PDB file of all heavy atoms in Angstrom:
ATOM      1  N   ARG Q  94     104.768  52.140 -28.104  1.00  0.00           N
ATOM      2  CA  ARG Q  94     106.141  52.513 -28.550  1.00  0.00           C
ATOM      3  C   ARG Q  94     106.094  53.289 -29.791  1.00  0.00           C
ATOM      4  O   ARG Q  94     105.281  53.045 -30.710  1.00  0.00           O
ATOM      5  CB  ARG Q  94     106.972  51.259 -28.812  1.00  0.00           C
ATOM      6  CG  ARG Q  94     107.105  50.307 -27.617  1.00  0.00           C
ATOM      7  CD  ARG Q  94     107.710  48.998 -28.016  1.00  0.00           C
ATOM      8  NE  ARG Q  94     106.920  48.407 -29.103  1.00  0.00           N
ATOM      9  CZ  ARG Q  94     107.348  47.396 -29.842  1.00  0.00           C
ATOM     10  NH1 ARG Q  94     108.527  46.917 -29.624  1.00  0.00           N
ATOM     11  NH2 ARG Q  94     106.598  46.897 -30.786  1.00  0.00           N
ATOM     12  N   TRP Q  95     106.852  54.330 -29.884  1.00  0.00           N
ATOM     13  CA  TRP Q  95     107.006  55.137 -31.120  1.00  0.00           C
ATOM     14  C   TRP Q  95     108.513  55.193 -31.410  1.00  0.00           C
ATOM     15  O   TRP Q  95     109.343  55.092 -30.496  1.00  0.00           O
ATOM     16  CB  TRP Q  95     106.481  56.576 -30.968  1.00  0.00           C
ATOM     17  CG  TRP Q  95     104.970  56.632 -30.906  1.00  0.00           C
ATOM     18  CD1 TRP Q  95     104.155  56.283 -29.916  1.00  0.00           C
ATOM     19  CD2 TRP Q  95     104.117  57.084 -31.998  1.00  0.00           C
ATOM     20  NE1 TRP Q  95     102.821  56.460 -30.270  1.00  0.00           N
ATOM     21  CE2 TRP Q  95     102.788  56.992 -31.550  1.00  0.00           C
ATOM     22  CE3 TRP Q  95     104.386  57.608 -33.284  1.00  0.00           C
ATOM     23  CZ2 TRP Q  95     101.735  57.342 -32.331  1.00  0.00           C
ATOM     24  CZ3 TRP Q  95     103.262  57.976 -34.058  1.00  0.00           C
ATOM     25  CH2 TRP Q  95     101.939  57.876 -33.632  1.00  0.00           C
ATOM     26  N   VAL Q  96     108.855  55.403 -32.669  1.00  0.00           N
ATOM     27  CA  VAL Q  96     110.262  55.612 -33.078  1.00  0.00           C
ATOM     28  C   VAL Q  96     110.326  56.892 -33.890  1.00  0.00           C
ATOM     29  O   VAL Q  96     109.458  57.172 -34.743  1.00  0.00           O
ATOM     30  CB  VAL Q  96     110.794  54.387 -33.886  1.00  0.00           C
ATOM     31  CG1 VAL Q  96     109.992  54.155 -35.112  1.00  0.00           C
ATOM     32  CG2 VAL Q  96     112.319  54.559 -34.227  1.00  0.00           C
ATOM     33  N   HIS Q  97     111.357  57.729 -33.587  1.00  0.00           N
ATOM     34  CA  HIS Q  97     111.531  58.943 -34.347  1.00  0.00           C
ATOM     35  C   HIS Q  97     112.275  58.650 -35.635  1.00  0.00           C
ATOM     36  O   HIS Q  97     113.485  58.906 -35.743  1.00  0.00           O
ATOM     37  CB  HIS Q  97     112.320  59.918 -33.452  1.00  0.00           C
ATOM     38  CG  HIS Q  97     112.229  61.301 -33.966  1.00  0.00           C
ATOM     39  ND1 HIS Q  97     112.966  62.370 -33.428  1.00  0.00           N
ATOM     40  CD2 HIS Q  97     111.607  61.905 -35.045  1.00  0.00           C
ATOM     41  CE1 HIS Q  97     112.742  63.483 -34.126  1.00  0.00           C
ATOM     42  NE2 HIS Q  97     111.920  63.221 -35.105  1.00  0.00           N
ATOM     43  N   GLU Q  98     111.607  57.993 -36.521  1.00  0.00           N
ATOM     44  CA  GLU Q  98     112.193  57.387 -37.707  1.00  0.00           C
ATOM     45  C   GLU Q  98     112.955  58.384 -38.565  1.00  0.00           C
ATOM     46  O   GLU Q  98     114.069  58.105 -39.049  1.00  0.00           O
ATOM     47  CB  GLU Q  98     111.180  56.612 -38.524  1.00  0.00           C
ATOM     48  CG  GLU Q  98     111.774  55.732 -39.547  1.00  0.00           C
ATOM     49  CD  GLU Q  98     110.767  54.785 -40.175  1.00  0.00           C
ATOM     50  OE1 GLU Q  98     109.829  55.307 -40.859  1.00  0.00           O
ATOM     51  OE2 GLU Q  98     110.851  53.605 -39.945  1.00  0.00           O
ATOM     52  N   HIS Q  99     112.326  59.486 -38.851  1.00  0.00           N
ATOM     53  CA  HIS Q  99     112.952  60.469 -39.725  1.00  0.00           C
ATOM     54  C   HIS Q  99     113.595  61.573 -38.871  1.00  0.00           C
ATOM     55  O   HIS Q  99     113.581  62.771 -39.245  1.00  0.00           O
ATOM     56  CB  HIS Q  99     111.923  61.110 -40.692  1.00  0.00           C
ATOM     57  CG  HIS Q  99     111.262  60.061 -41.501  1.00  0.00           C
ATOM     58  ND1 HIS Q  99     111.935  59.300 -42.473  1.00  0.00           N
ATOM     59  CD2 HIS Q  99     109.982  59.592 -41.475  1.00  0.00           C
ATOM     60  CE1 HIS Q  99     111.138  58.461 -42.988  1.00  0.00           C
ATOM     61  NE2 HIS Q  99     109.980  58.517 -42.433  1.00  0.00           N
ATOM     62  N   GLY Q 100     114.170  61.178 -37.726  1.00  0.00           N
ATOM     63  CA  GLY Q 100     114.853  62.115 -36.823  1.00  0.00           C
ATOM     64  C   GLY Q 100     116.057  61.353 -36.246  1.00  0.00           C
ATOM     65  O   GLY Q 100     116.929  60.870 -36.939  1.00  0.00           O
TER      66      GLY Q 100
END
Side-chain angles (χ1 to χ4, degrees):
Chain Q
R94 300 169 304 166
W95 285 74
V96 60
H97 193 184
E98 191 169 66
H99 304 292

